[in-house]
Amino acid sequence: MTKSPNQDIHLPSPIRKRLWLLVLSRGSIALGGLLLLGIIVGIWRLWTFVQTELTPLAQQSLTTTLNRPVKLGRVTQFSLTGVEFGASAIPATPTDPDRATVEVVEVNFNLLQLIFNRHLKLDVTLVNPDIYIQQDDQGRWVSTNIVSSGEGGVIKTDLDKLWFRDAKLTLMPQNRGAGGQGGKGEYPTSNSALAKQQLSANKTQHLPVGFSQLNGSAQLLANNQLIRFDVGGQADSGGSISIQGETRSKVLAGNFQLRAQNFLAEDITRLIKLPLSLQAGRANGDLLVRLTPGQRTLLFGSAAVQGVTLQIPKVPQLLSDSQGNLRFQGTELQLNNINTNYGKIPLVATGIIDTQAGFKLAARVNAVSLANAQETLKVKLPVLIAGQVQASLQITGSIKEPILSGSVATIQTARIDKVDFDRISSKFELVTSSSLITLKDIQGKAKVGGEITGAGTIQLGKTPRLDLNFAAKNVPGDAIAKVYQTTPAFQIGNVSATAQLIGAPTNVQTVVQFQAPNGTYPGTGEVAIAPNRTVSFRNVALNVSGGTVRATGSYVNQRWQAVAIASGVKLEPFVDKSQVQNVSLAGAQFNGRLILSGSTAPFEIATIRTDGAGVQIGGGIVAVSNVQLQDQGFSAQLVANGVRLGQILKQSPPALNNPLAGTFQIAGNRDNFSLKTLRGSGEGSLAIGGGTVTAKNIQVANGVYQAQVQAKNVPVQQLTTLPKQFQGALN
């Protein structure tokens, strides 16, 4: 058998092992060198990528995603899982004033995902950012349209999550103008006080709201179209706030859960459009804010307010120092026993303010002074009022035109001018669109007696005006006169009257028509009270002692004057019969015009002037003139014509049944008038049987009279009773 050549070449086993070790050791060195070189190149490439490409790549990614220019600072630190940039900024644009500056931007990413998938998913933390956001004209706080993630270039980049650490945030609300919460023209321009309040509120609402120590995150989901966020921090004005929720970036719709503790109520109004304005005070709340494009913002939740001032649209006064609970239900704001003050009127309010349906509020006033109520309602009255009242109120109507109505009643003695009332009540309605108060069913009961009813309107605003009507029944005139320190010498009796007050509050004209049927002198008349408190009497007609007295006059500062025309006034009731026992005034009547003046404290007549005045007595007339009053005395000039003294003197000679003519000056005491106290002087003539008896230098004093008498052709038989043989004329 022949041998193969390979069979001759056969190496021993130890030699083969050494050969393989030699080969493997040299290959390992080469492979290790290649790996080391790859690592070095990779590190260098990573360094180069971070230093030269990552910043512009991340910057471009953020700019594209946020649809806003982003300026990243230089790289200050980097690692295999992240990189840190220096001071960075999102500057404002010509169309968007929102801006932000950041001290440090930390960007975390997944290196393996970058290497194998060329996908850079950024997790960004903003350290100490300072953010400014301004609300636009459409009421939007953020109008940035976040772009959907796309394939991009060689490396795809996405912003996954944005973190905030110790951030500062300034929110600038839009300038809502003069219209306030409800839009332009919502507040009545006729109310200057309200306009000033609203102007001040508008200036305050346009102030920025600042926050600090904000921490939280915002995550982009659903291809960057859904933003889920959670942020909390401190308000610069005090209190804390946290917001959780999500929104869709393109349509700016979403739900936000807002929680606030000890938050300045005024800041809430600046940030959220409510159906009322909050001013001053603090609030704690938990609200769900629901945003839907093209629809009203819906609020759900509750808030507790402490010391808050509320401005309800078109309601003239603020609600100050409000305390209680508010509940939000969609477009409804529910007030639950809110203790507050409407101007200077303390009240408790309950009900609903609905931005769609309007007002449905009720309130009660347990006690308020009439002075404070008058000041709050800006009502000026021509008389002083005092007292305490309670009231129930309702606010109804639309947001733009609310109506305030209710009822009010006194809870203790009240006073109008100088008259005390046991009870006063009324119903009222204030239409804010026209600034008109309507009063209905006014009822009052005077302490001295009598009842008052009434109704009317009060126009507020730049041209205020009163138009009130009252009716009084069974009012004791004597008691009212005493209240005004007037004590006439006659009884007034119960008075019924109607009154109208009309005009501007500083120029009110009051007209009273009265009937006093049960007084000493029953009568009717009209009284006009001018703004300066001057009282005028018109069309006064009094039944005086069987006759009529028609009078006009005036009264001011406790002084009065009057013009009276008397017709058929019998004198007998005015004379003390015990003082004139031998005198008969039966049938004696006074007629004529008197001009009088005097005072009311106490009531007295100071002057009397006559015009065609006289007394029908004894078949003739005694004209009265030159009346003078001084202290308790009086004097007057009497001119007699055709007076038959025999009809006046109960015991008189027959001659006195003849007509007397003469002129006399008399004087006496008004408080003690009698023939004994009467003094007089004068002259007269008595026609007897074709002759004349003339008396000159007549003097009357202390009940005794004397005179110089001269007879001419007087039949003696007519002078006195004589025997028949005494005949002839006496000269």
Side-chain angles (χ1 to χ4, degrees):
M1 176 179 296
T2 305
K3 292 184 180 180
S4 171
N6 293 334
Q7 293 178 349
D8 294 336
I9 306 173
H10 182 71
L11 296 177
S13 178
I15 296 175
R16 288 199 304 270
K17 290 181 179 179
R18 286 196 296 270
L19 179 61
W20 280 108
L21 288 173
L22 178 62
V23 173
L24 290 174
S25 62
R26 290 180 178 179
S28 298
I29 293 172
L31 181 59
L34 290 174
L35 288 175
L36 178 61
L37 179 61
I39 291 172
I40 293 173
V41 171
I43 293 174
W44 173 81
R45 180 69 183 102
L46 179 60
W47 170 264
T48 304
F49 173 77
V50 169
Q51 293 295 331
T52 62
E53 299 180 34
L54 181 59
T55 298
L57 183 63
Q59 181 171 291
Q60 181 60 41
S61 174
L62 292 174
T63 298
T64 301
T65 301
L66 298 178
N67 203 20
R68 287 287 301 272
V70 177
K71 295 182 179 180
L72 285 176
R74 65 182 183 86
V75 176
T76 57
Q77 294 182 22
F78 79 94
S79 67
L80 296 179
T81 59
V83 64
E84 183 178 287
F85 298 93
S88 304
I90 301 177
T93 69
T95 58
D96 193 342
D98 296 352
R99 59 187 181 271
T101 59
V102 187
E103 291 185 9
V104 176
V105 178
E106 298 176 354
V107 180
N108 294 320
F109 50 81
N110 189 324
L111 182 60
L112 295 177
Q113 195 176 37
L114 172 63
I115 295 173
F116 295 105
N117 298 330
R118 305 189 67 81
H119 185 192
L120 188 61
K121 202 169 186 179
L122 303 179
D123 195 343
V124 179
T125 300
L126 305 181
V127 181
N128 297 329
D130 191 346
I131 306 170
Y132 174 89
I133 299 178
Q134 182 171 317
Q135 191 177 27
D136 65 14
D137 294 337
Q138 300 180 38
R140 298 177 302 182
W141 284 104
V142 178
S143 57
T144 299
N145 184 14
I146 298 179
V147 177
S148 303
S149 60
E151 292 300 325
V154 178
I155 298 177
K156 178 184 176 183
T157 58
D158 286 323
L159 177 61
D160 178 42
K161 208 166 190 179
L162 186 64
W163 297 84
F164 303 94
R165 186 189 305 163
D166 199 19
K168 292 182 179 179
L169 173 63
T170 301
L171 298 177
M172 175 61 77
Q174 71 179 108
N175 189 355
R176 293 170 184 163
Q181 294 293 323
K184 185 176 181 181
E186 183 168 313
Y187 293 85
T189 56
S190 61
N191 193 322
S192 60
L194 180 59
K196 290 179 181 179
Q197 291 175 3
Q198 187 57 34
L199 179 61
S200 175
N202 290 335
K203 290 180 178 178
T204 303
Q205 287 176 4
H206 195 51
L207 295 176
V209 180
F211 300 89
S212 59
Q213 303 178 39
L214 290 176
N215 296 283
S217 65
Q219 185 177 12
L220 277 66
L221 303 170
N223 203 20
N224 289 353
Q225 297 311 297
L226 180 65
I227 304 173
R228 183 173 295 157
F229 55 87
D230 186 349
V231 181
Q234 302 294 318
D236 292 347
S237 56
S240 61
I241 188 172
S242 65
I243 305 176
Q244 298 86 33
E246 57 184 33
T247 180
R248 294 197 172 272
S249 61
K250 282 190 176 181
V251 295
L252 294 178
N255 298 325
F256 310 145
Q257 191 69 42
L258 172 65
R259 294 180 177 88
Q261 292 291 326
N262 199 32
F263 198 75
L264 184 64
E266 195 169 10
D267 287 348
I268 298 176
T269 298
R270 294 172 184 157
L271 301 178
I272 302 176
K273 190 174 182 180
L274 299 175
L276 48 70
S277 174
L278 303 179
Q279 303 172 24
R282 296 279 170 177
N284 301 319
D286 188 348
L287 294 179
L288 172 63
V289 183
R290 182 170 296 169
L291 298 178
T292 303
Q295 298 183 18
R296 292 180 179 270
T297 300
L298 301 181
L299 303 175
F300 300 88
S302 61
V305 296
Q306 183 75 25
V308 170
T309 297
L310 306 175
Q311 171 71 70
I312 298 177
K314 293 203 74 175
V315 174
Q317 289 289 335
L318 299 173
L319 297 175
S320 60
D321 195 23
S322 304
Q323 303 179 50
N325 297 315
L326 304 176
R327 185 165 185 83
F328 299 85
Q329 188 67 33
T331 60
E332 291 184 358
L333 171 58
Q334 301 173 0
L335 282 65
N336 185 15
N337 290 327
I338 298 292
N339 289 279
T340 185
N341 297 277
Y342 180 72
K344 291 188 175 181
I345 303 176
L347 56 86
V348 180
T350 302
I352 296 173
I353 304 175
D354 194 323
T355 56
Q356 299 286 348
F359 292 97
K360 192 176 180 181
L361 292 176
R364 68 178 186 275
V365 179
N366 294 324
V368 65
S369 70
L370 284 169
N372 286 342
Q374 182 181 355
E375 180 181 349
T376 297
L377 298 175
K378 306 298 181 185
V379 174
K380 295 182 179 179
L381 299 175
V383 294
L384 296 176
I385 59 174
Q388 295 280 325
V389 297
Q390 61 183 6
S392 61
L393 312 172
Q394 295 85 40
I395 300 180
T396 57
S398 67
I399 292 294
K400 292 185 178 181
E401 296 183 354
I403 298 174
L404 175 65
S405 60
S407 60
V408 61
T410 56
I411 54 178
Q412 58 185 30
T413 300
R415 174 170 292 185
I416 299 179
D417 201 17
K418 295 182 179 181
V419 180
D420 290 337
F421 286 81
D422 288 331
R423 183 186 71 254
I424 302 174
S425 63
S426 176
K427 297 177 181 177
F428 65 90
E429 180 180 85
L430 168 60
V431 180
T432 57
S433 60
S434 59
S435 299
L436 182 68
I437 297 178
T438 300
L439 301 175
K440 298 181 292 185
D441 196 22
I442 300 174
Q443 297 186 16
K445 184 176 181 180
K447 199 172 189 66
V448 295
E451 296 180 352
I452 310 293
T453 59
T457 60
I458 301 174
Q459 180 68 57
L460 306 177
K462 290 183 178 179
T463 55
R465 183 177 177 83
L466 301 179
D467 188 354
L468 303 175
N469 296 278
F470 297 94
K473 184 166 58 175
N474 296 326
V475 177
D478 299 285
I480 296 296
K482 188 175 181 181
V483 168
Y484 286 92
Q485 299 179 341
T486 300
T487 309
F490 53 87
Q491 295 292 317
I492 299 174
N494 285 350
V495 177
S496 296
T498 60
Q500 182 182 43
L501 286 74
I502 190 169
T506 56
N507 191 33
V508 173
Q509 298 286 338
T510 303
V511 178
V512 179
Q513 294 179 331
F514 68 88
Q515 304 87 37
N518 301 317
T520 303
Y521 310 118
T524 61
E526 187 175 289
V527 179
I529 304 175
N532 62 358
R533 307 286 287 176
T534 298
V535 179
S536 300
F537 301 91
R538 302 181 300 211
N539 302 321
V540 177
L542 304 176
N543 296 326
V544 180
S545 187
T548 301
V549 176
R550 300 187 180 278
T552 60
S554 62
Y555 167 80
V556 61
N557 296 330
Q558 297 184 343
R559 302 289 300 176
W560 61 269
Q561 60 182 9
V563 176
I565 299 176
S567 176
V569 177
K570 296 179 181 180
L571 297 183
E572 189 174 20
F574 297 98
V575 177
D576 185 354
K577 294 181 180 180
S578 64
Q579 301 292 333
V580 286
Q581 296 180 1
N582 195 37
V583 176
S584 173
L585 296 178
Q589 297 180 352
F590 179 82
N591 299 281
R593 186 168 181 261
L594 298 176
I595 303 170
L596 307 95
S597 65
S599 65
T600 59
F603 182 85
E604 64 177 4
I605 301 174
T607 64
I608 299 178
R609 290 186 293 123
T610 62
D611 182 7
V615 178
Q616 292 181 355
I617 187 171
I621 296 176
V622 178
V624 181
S625 61
N626 296 332
V627 178
Q628 299 291 329
L629 302 177
Q630 185 176 6
D631 295 331
Q632 300 302 316
F634 74 93
S635 64
Q637 185 181 59
L638 306 180
V639 178
N641 187 15
V643 177
R644 301 177 187 275
L645 294 179
Q647 297 180 18
I648 301 173
L649 301 177
K650 294 180 179 180
Q651 298 177 2
S652 62
L656 294 183
N657 287 324
N658 293 286
L660 170 70
T663 301
F664 306 93
Q665 190 72 31
I666 64 171
N669 189 297
R670 287 183 285 171
D671 292 337
N672 186 24
F673 177 76
S674 68
L675 293 178
K676 292 183 178 181
T677 60
L678 180 67
R679 304 185 306 278
S681 63
E683 59 183 25
S685 63
L686 183 67
I688 302 176
T692 303
V693 176
T694 301
K696 295 183 177 180
N697 196 22
I698 300 174
Q699 299 291 328
V700 178
N702 299 320
V704 178
Y705 61 90
Q706 60 182 6
Q708 296 178 355
V709 180
Q710 182 178 2
K712 183 178 181 180
N713 296 325
V714 177
V716 294
Q717 288 290 339
Q718 295 186 23
L719 290 176
T720 185
T721 303
L722 295 172
K724 293 182 179 181
Q725 57 267 31
F726 288 94
Q727 299 288 333
L730 179 66
N731 289 293

